[in-house]
């Protein structure tokens, strides 16, 4: 894979040259920050434009991108041999030198020369050095690499320190952003927990959520918001992340959020009921009603005996029915049973509202269920 990548670079050298000039033209003409994608930067060191030709505002971004990309080191390339002076021994670039100088030594395939990435990135306009000029290729003088690095105050080391500082700066920004993300996640969790606590309290007490006037200037914003205000006033951690302190689009107080939380709570409670029921036999109590949009629905309660021998009655849910025919009612019961993985074969009793205007349909439903399961005995019809 890596081999193909590097050979591709070689064959596309001319094309890269064209890209290089167009990249710089765009940068220079805009004279502003540009988004740098390390994948689009030229890998070939000989074709890159000098850093000082980029707009000053873009230089650090380009330097970081090159440092992230790392020096161009085609280790598996078949480096060509060449003769030096009168010596008959042929010499070539030794790829182990990449290992000796992994962070800065770069090779240009087309010209068989090496460059220094650090010095390319932070070279002053007037600096002259074969590692940044035309490239170095005197393979019999390996010591020139160390000479290029020089002493601690050399221009190469100065460039290296600038590169390291630049990347550390970037690193600290990444760390800062990461800390911000952790903090916003923690704040979100506190905010969500507060909303859930309010919803659970109101559900437990059977209280309504909403008020008639929920605007911020209202003297009574309804139970849900008033309770959240109460929590916020009495808990610094919640106060710090709710209402005006919360992000504008993430306050977790909208009616949709309240419905979502309520739905989640309902599912959790139903799971507990079904788990408590286990494999026991059970009965159902069914009543019909209409909601505000005059849609027919049935409310289903299950009755069973728990492991301690207590008779338990639990509201299982409301199921909408498309019409009030017997078959639709049965389909609704079957859908509810299916949702909770209950089997009609475990049914041992049926109870219906005797005063309901759907009494006739309920009788039909009772007969249909008895057809499926003769043990699903009929309770005395109860009256609402
Ligand atoms: Zn250098």
């Amino acid at each position: 894979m890596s081999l193909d990548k590097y050979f591709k670079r070689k064959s596309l050298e001319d094309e890269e040259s064209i890209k290089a000039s167009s990249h710089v033209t765009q940068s220079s003409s805009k004279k502003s920050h540009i988004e740098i994608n390390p994948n689009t930067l030229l890998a070939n060191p000989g074709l890159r434009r000098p850093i000082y030709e980029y707009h000053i505002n873009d230089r650090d971004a380009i330097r970081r991108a090159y440092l992230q990309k790392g020096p161009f080191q085609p280790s598996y390339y078949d480096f060509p041999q060449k003769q030096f002076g009168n010596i008959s021994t042929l010499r070539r670039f030794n790829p182990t030198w990449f290992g000796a100088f992994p962070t800065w030594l770069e090779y240009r395939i087309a010209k068989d020369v090496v460059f220094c990435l650090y010095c390319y990135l932070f070279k002053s306009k007037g600096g002259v050095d074969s590692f940044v000029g035309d490239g170095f290729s005197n393979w019999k003088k390996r010591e020139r690499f160390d000479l290029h690095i020089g002493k601690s105050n050399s221009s190469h080391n100065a460039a290296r320190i600038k590169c390291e500082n630049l990347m550390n700066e970037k690193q600290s920004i990444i760390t800062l952003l990461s800390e911000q993300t952790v903090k916003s996640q923690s704040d979100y969790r506190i905010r969500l927990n507060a909303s859930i606590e309010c919803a659970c309290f109101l559900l437990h007490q059977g209280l309504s959520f909403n008020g008639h006037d929920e605007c911020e200037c209202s003297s009574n914003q309804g139970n849900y918001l008033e309770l959240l205000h109460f929590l916020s006033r009495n808990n610094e951690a919640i106060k710090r992340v709710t209402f005006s302190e919360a992000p504008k689009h993430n306050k977790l107080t909208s009616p949709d959020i309240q419905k979502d939380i309520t739905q989640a709570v309902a599912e959790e409670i139903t799971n507990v009921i079904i788990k408590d029921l286990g494999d026991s036999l059970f009965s159902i109590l069914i009543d019909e009603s209409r909601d505000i949009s005059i849609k027919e629905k049935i409310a289903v309660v299950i009755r069973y005996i728990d492991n301690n021998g207590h008779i338990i009655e639990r509201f299982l849910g409301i199921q909408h029915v498309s019409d009030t025919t017997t078959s639709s009612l049965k389909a609704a019961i079957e859908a509810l049973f299916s949702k909770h993985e209950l089997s009609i074969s475990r049914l041992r009793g049926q109870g219906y509202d005797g005063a309901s205007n759907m009494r006739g349909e309920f009788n039909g439903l009772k007969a249909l269920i008895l057809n499926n399961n003769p043990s699903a005995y009929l309770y005395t019809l109860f009256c609402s």
Side-chain angles (χ1 to χ4, degrees), residues 59-304:
R59 288 177 198 167
D60 279 352
I62 287 167
R63 286 174 177 133
R64 280 195 199 98
Y66 272 121
L67 287 166
Q68 264 178 337
K69 201 180 174 80
F72 182 62
Q73 298 189 338
S75 315
Y76 299 103
Y77 177 62
D78 185 14
F79 296 96
Q81 293 184 320
K82 60 183 176 186
Q83 194 170 339
F84 289 91
N86 297 325
I87 305 167
S88 57
T89 314
L90 294 170
R91 290 179 187 266
R92 67 167 85 181
F93 176 85
N94 183 345
T96 61
W97 295 335
F98 285 145
F101 311 106
T103 52
W104 60 266
L105 188 64
E106 301 195 282
Y107 182 82
R108 184 180 180 190
I109 291 173
K111 303 283 183 187
D112 187 34
V113 290
V114 292
F115 295 91
C116 172
L117 178 62
Y118 291 155
C119 293
Y120 160 69
L121 296 175
F122 279 102
K123 173 181 163 282
S124 60
K125 204 169 180 175
V128 178
D129 185 314
S130 55
F131 280 82
V132 280
D134 297 330
F136 174 77
S137 63
N138 194 347
W139 309 138
K140 65 176 183 173
K141 292 190 174 174
R142 158 69 174 76
E143 66 276 11
R144 281 288 303 277
F145 293 157
D146 297 315
L147 275 175
H148 172 73
I149 294 173
K151 295 182 180 172
S152 58
N153 60 352
S154 70
S155 64
H156 171 89
N157 277 320
R160 174 181 56 79
I161 289 166
K162 284 178 184 171
C163 287
E164 286 167 359
N165 288 344
L166 192 68
M167 291 313 276
N168 285 341
E169 188 185 306
K170 173 82 173 175
Q171 205 58 42
S172 67
I173 291 169
I174 290 169
T175 311
L176 198 68
L177 282 174
S178 155
E179 281 169 4
Q180 282 285 341
T181 309
V182 170
K183 186 179 178 301
S184 67
Q185 282 174 349
S186 160
D187 289 354
Y188 175 81
R189 191 167 282 274
I190 295 170
R191 195 158 54 245
L192 180 62
N193 276 336
S195 289
I196 292 173
E197 289 288 331
C198 291
C200 286
F201 178 85
L202 297 177
L203 289 168
H204 189 255
Q205 297 303 110
L207 296 172
S208 65
F209 277 45
N210 303 118
H212 295 296
D213 179 5
E214 293 194 344
C215 72
E216 284 180 19
C217 55
S218 168
S219 60
N220 184 350
Q221 292 183 282
N223 290 333
Y224 180 84
L225 291 176
E226 290 297 333
L227 187 56
L228 193 55
H229 275 298
F230 174 80
L231 275 183
S232 163
R233 279 196 302 274
N234 291 282
N235 184 314
E236 269 306 313
I238 295 174
K239 185 178 183 178
R240 195 175 46 77
V241 296
T242 49
F243 295 111
S244 59
E245 303 301 321
K248 196 177 174 188
H249 300 294
N250 195 7
K251 292 183 188 295
L252 298 179
T253 54
S254 73
D256 282 346
I257 293 290
Q258 295 172 26
K259 279 180 197 162
D260 281 351
I261 294 173
T262 305
Q263 182 63 33
V265 170
E267 285 179 16
E268 287 293 323
I269 289 174
T270 311
N271 287 341
V272 171
I273 293 169
I274 297 296
K275 195 176 170 188
D276 189 44
L277 172 64
D279 294 329
S280 306
L281 303 172
F282 63 95
S283 305
I284 49 171
L285 300 170
I286 294 177
D287 198 3
E288 59 87 27
S289 64
R290 286 178 178 182
D291 64 16
I292 198 166
S293 59
I294 326 183
K295 279 183 183 164
E296 290 289 347
K297 54 192 181 179
I298 52 171
V300 180
V301 169
I302 59 168
R303 183 181 161 98
Y304 61 96

